[in-house]
Amino acid sequence: MTLTYDDIAEQQADIVGPLLPYFRAPLPDGQFIRGVLPSPPPSEAVRVVVGPPGGGEPEEMTVWEIPLRTAGDAGDLAGADDVLGMVRALHTGTQIFSSSRTDTVMGMRLVRVDPAAVEPADPDEGDLALVVLRTLVHPWTEERPVPRLRGFLLRGPDRMRLYCDREEDTAVVAADVRLSGALTAVLAALPSLTEEEGTAPGDADPHCSRLVDLTGW
């Protein structure tokens, strides 16, 4: 099966929803998921941001870049359960990574994970119960909201960055929102607001092509 970047973009969006509960639930070492980022194309990966409870400075964060498929694998892409199992394993015990696999992005430590070197943690009873309940409350549908959420990042007190696209255009637009602001109005207007010109973030945020500041709402 030949996969296109559209397939990768769709899988990145599929992973975001199931991981949302875990930015309130600690990982084995007490760290928390602080964001899920769409790896810039043509990378076939997803980036999971972890850090201390209540947020923290960029230097306190780690970004795990997890491939959605292994080299040469033309089969199914890794799903949310696979990614969560990998992240949990990475936060169990001591992990050592060669300098060739580490970098920085947005001031955070970036680690490109080799799936062959990490044994994913199995889902626990809570994970399985969540699958059942989530399926009943939010049954799967092919029809997605517009714009499509590709990722998010908690950026400190009262700030969140949303990464969105439209399925016919996989270019990611990021929108900064203020969590104490008029969120109902912002979310209702998000489809049109993300079409605003915005700014080109460049190296400041490689996960999007445009950045729109909605913190004034």
Side-chain angles (χ1 to χ4, degrees), residues 59-115:
E59 58 268 21
E60 298 178 273
M61 306 289 190
T62 298
V63 183
W64 302 113
E65 183 176 276
I66 300 174
L68 294 179
R69 61 175 173 176
T70 57
D73 180 11
D76 293 337
L77 295 171
D81 292 340
D82 303 308
V83 171
L84 179 61
M86 190 78 63
V87 171
R88 279 183 172 151
L90 290 165
H91 286 266
T92 302
T94 302
Q95 307 290 335
I96 300 175
F97 302 94
S98 68
S99 58
S100 64
R101 288 193 167 271
T102 62
D103 204 341
T104 58
V105 62
M106 299 171 67
M108 302 178 287
R109 178 182 180 231
L110 170 67
V111 180
R112 295 181 175 88
V113 178
D114 177 6

Side-chain angles (χ1 to χ4, degrees), residues 19-67:
L19 290 188
L20 291 181
Y22 299 98
F23 77 84
R24 297 294 298 272
L27 296 165
D29 63 353
Q31 297 282 292
F32 287 77
I33 291 178
R34 310 302 295 171
V36 180
L37 302 172
S39 293
S43 175
E44 298 181 343
V46 66
R47 292 177 172 178
V48 180
V49 183
V50 299
E57 299 301 319
E59 58 268 21
E60 298 178 273
M61 306 289 190
T62 298
V63 183
W64 302 113
E65 183 176 276
I66 300 174

Side-chain angles (χ1 to χ4, degrees), residues 119-143:
E119 182 65 32
D122 292 330
D124 60 25
E125 185 179 67
D127 296 327
L128 300 176
L130 185 60
V131 170
V132 173
L133 298 174
R134 187 175 63 228
T135 301
L136 292 172
V137 176
H138 298 291
W140 173 258
T141 174
E142 292 290 340
E143 186 175 343

